[in-house]
Amino acid sequence: MKVLGITGGVGAGKSTILDYLNRRYHARIIEADKVGHFLMEPGQKVYYHIVETFGSGILRGDQSIDRQKLGKLVFDDQEKLVKLNSLVHPAVKEYIASEIEKERKEGKVPFVAVEAALLIEDHYDTICDELWYVYADEDARRRRLAASRGYTSAKSDSIMKNQLPDEIFRESCQFVIDNSSEIVQNTYEQIDRGLKEHGIL
């Protein structure tokens, strides 16, 4: 069973790719973001580490972590952000590795697709067989972010400038899906070809 890492800039359309891999091929999809949210829930080890580090002021009335409050706390403080990432990211990767192991043992899915914004920076190549880059030109990404999330041009700018440049994505990944087109069939055909050519299936 192969493990495919999916990455790309904000607004590139990674969700479209994951949805297709799940619907068409019944792949197990693991999203690092969702795993992070799960590990921050009360009762999880990461939850206690975060509360211990940042204090009970980040908690809601029901004792869950208010991610907005936490975000504001670390947004302008590089040291706090590094600390938060050091608590969350390794735990997320460890959890994903254990889920992959479970899927290997059960042998019920054709492959696993792992999506993470920091797939390259957090060295997911150690647990993935291949990394795939979902590319979309900047105009397409801006349009999508405005339509789906209501982002202003300035907000899109601020996120994009903190992400890896296109050439680093291309150097680090074994396959590129160009998802700039609004004709989704074009994207699906690239995925089908990539899965066959790269022996994922």
Side-chain angles (χ1 to χ4, degrees), residues 3 6-7 11 37 49 62 74 86-87 94 109 119 125 130 135 139 141 144 157 166 172-173 184 186-187 192 195 200:
V3 181
I6 305 283
T7 193
H37 292 169
H49 290 325
D62 64 359
V74 302
S86 75
L87 295 174
E94 194 181 308
V109 297
L119 201 80
D125 53 337
E130 278 200 7
Y135 165 82
D139 286 346
R141 290 164 67 196
R144 287 170 190 164
D157 271 348
D166 179 64
S172 309
C173 296
V184 75
N186 292 346
T187 300
D192 295 341
L195 290 172
I200 306 295

Side-chain angles (χ1 to χ4, degrees), residues 100-153:
I100 289 168
E101 207 41 54
K102 271 187 214 166
E103 293 295 0
R104 280 195 208 283
K105 282 181 181 147
E106 286 178 17
K108 288 179 184 167
V109 297
F111 61 94
V112 173
V114 176
E115 186 273 319
L118 300 175
L119 201 80
I120 294 164
E121 298 93 318
D122 282 347
H123 304 288
Y124 272 78
D125 53 337
T126 58
I127 59 173
C128 295
D129 294 293
E130 278 200 7
L131 304 186
W132 284 19
Y133 170 38
V134 182
Y135 165 82
D137 64 60
E138 216 170 280
D139 286 346
R141 290 164 67 196
R142 285 176 191 284
R143 276 198 312 275
R144 287 170 190 164
L145 290 170
S148 65
R149 305 186 201 179
Y151 284 6
T152 61
S153 195

Side-chain angles (χ1 to χ4, degrees), residues 63-81:
Q63 297 303 295
S64 64
I65 290 171
D66 186 327
R67 290 203 306 273
Q68 222 169 357
K69 263 189 198 169
L70 181 60
K72 278 181 188 156
L73 193 66
V74 302
F75 188 72
D76 288 323
D77 190 323
Q78 191 58 27
E79 204 176 301
K80 282 182 180 165
L81 181 61

Side-chain angles (χ1 to χ4, degrees), residues 22 26-30 95 99-100 103 109-114:
N22 179 249
H26 309 292
R28 164 78 194 276
I29 307 298
I30 306 175
Y95 180 90
E99 286 298 297
I100 289 168
E103 293 295 0
V109 297
F111 61 94
V112 173
V114 176

Side-chain angles (χ1 to χ4, degrees), residues 120 125 131-132 164 167-174:
I120 294 164
D125 53 337
L131 304 186
W132 284 19
L164 292 177
E167 57 269 23
I168 300 290
F169 276 119
R170 288 178 185 272
E171 278 168 21
S172 309
C173 296
Q174 286 74 48

Side-chain angles (χ1 to χ4, degrees), residues 42-60:
Q44 298 293 327
K45 207 162 55 174
V46 172
Y47 168 88
Y48 295 111
H49 290 325
I50 290 173
V51 176
E52 203 180 306
T53 306
F54 297 100
S56 57
I58 60 163
L59 297 178
R60 293 192 184 98

